[in-house]
Amino acid sequence: MNIVMFGPPAAGKGTQAKMLVAKHSLLQFSTGDMLREARVSGTERGRKVSGIMDRGELVSDEIVISLIDEQISLNQDSHGFIFDGFPRTIAQAEALDALMNLYDSQIDLVLSLKVDDSSLVNRITKRFTEEGRADDNPESFKVRLNAYNTQTASLLPYYSSKGKLFEVDGMLSINEVSILINEALNNKSKGLI
């Protein structure tokens, strides 16, 4: 099963994706992690990514899709993939659909974590303090949140029209969110979603 974890920055996508990996033996593709790895790689692509991320901008579709394609091609024997932080735009969603078709596969379920903006600011401040991630500084976060609200939120109707969207209240506890997500996976595998 191939899943997209959807929601604004700091909504808990990565936490829930890791729990799904452990429970369902799926492979997680975190574009944020991939981009952070590229950033420190010392390659030309890494330097380009670093500048973009430091400004709080979204990395180009071409770069992100090439990273995802590379990972899919290396892991074709996986039970399925979780896409965490991708797609972010309709163009990326269409590119991901096309890419999955090349591998005779598809996105099966899109899990959208709903969290209010003030809670996100609290989460990001805590994460910045604890982990010191450069892309979580308050100014970069505001740009990322604005990009999500203006560009990425349009993916909800895109996936809803395909019957793949399942929304989860991300304000619940981590365990409550996990239970709802696992119920959605079970219902999807039974054809109920």
Side-chain angles (χ1 to χ4, degrees):
M1 180 172 285
N2 298 308
I3 301 165
V4 171
M5 294 297 295
F6 186 70
K13 298 181 300 291
T15 299
Q16 293 301 324
K18 285 176 179 46
M19 294 171 78
L20 287 171
V21 166
K23 185 169 182 144
H24 299 282
S25 301
L26 302 171
L27 186 59
Q28 178 187 6
F29 293 156
S30 167
T31 54
D33 290 345
M34 284 190 256
L35 291 169
R36 281 185 286 279
E37 287 171 19
R39 182 181 189 160
V40 299
S41 69
T43 65
E44 183 177 334
R45 179 169 64 179
R47 286 187 295 278
K48 185 183 227 182
V49 165
S50 183
I52 294 166
M53 291 174 72
D54 287 346
R55 292 186 301 273
E57 298 171 359
L58 294 179
V59 176
S60 75
D61 291 356
E62 180 183 349
I63 293 172
V64 176
I65 291 165
S66 71
L67 290 169
I68 297 235
D69 186 15
E70 181 180 336
Q71 289 302 310
I72 291 174
S73 68
L74 293 172
N75 296 285
Q76 293 183 50
D77 59 346
S78 173
H79 290 111
F81 305 114
I82 300 171
F83 297 93
D84 169 12
F86 184 88
R88 292 181 185 237
T89 64
I90 298 284
Q92 286 181 355
E94 291 169 344
L96 180 59
D97 288 343
L99 183 61
M100 296 303 288
N101 285 337
L102 290 175
Y103 291 99
D104 245 0
S105 193
Q106 67 175 354
I107 297 302
D108 299 298
L109 187 62
V110 176
L111 298 167
S112 175
L113 301 180
K114 307 299 266 179
V115 182
D116 67 70
D117 286 357
S118 63
S119 293
L120 293 176
V121 171
N122 291 336
R123 285 183 187 182
I124 208 76
T125 301
K126 182 178 179 187
R127 190 164 77 182
F128 180 66
T129 302
E130 291 175 357
E131 298 177 25
R133 284 175 31 179
D135 57 318
D136 280 347
N137 73 61
E139 290 308 309
S140 292
F141 178 73
K142 289 175 190 173
V143 173
R144 289 169 53 213
L145 185 57
N146 183 57
Y148 172 81
N149 288 329
T150 59
Q151 298 173 12
T152 309
S154 64
L155 286 169
L156 291 172
Y158 176 83
Y159 283 116
S160 181
S161 71
K162 294 177 175 277
K164 297 181 179 192
L165 181 66
F166 184 81
E167 295 183 321
V168 178
D169 181 356
M171 299 301 296
L172 299 172
S173 72
I174 291 171
N175 288 335
E176 289 170 317
V177 171
S178 178
I179 289 167
L180 292 173
I181 287 173
N182 281 294
E183 286 175 6
L185 290 176
N186 290 335
N187 288 337
K188 184 66 176 179
S189 66
K190 295 174 184 174
L192 301 175
I193 293 180

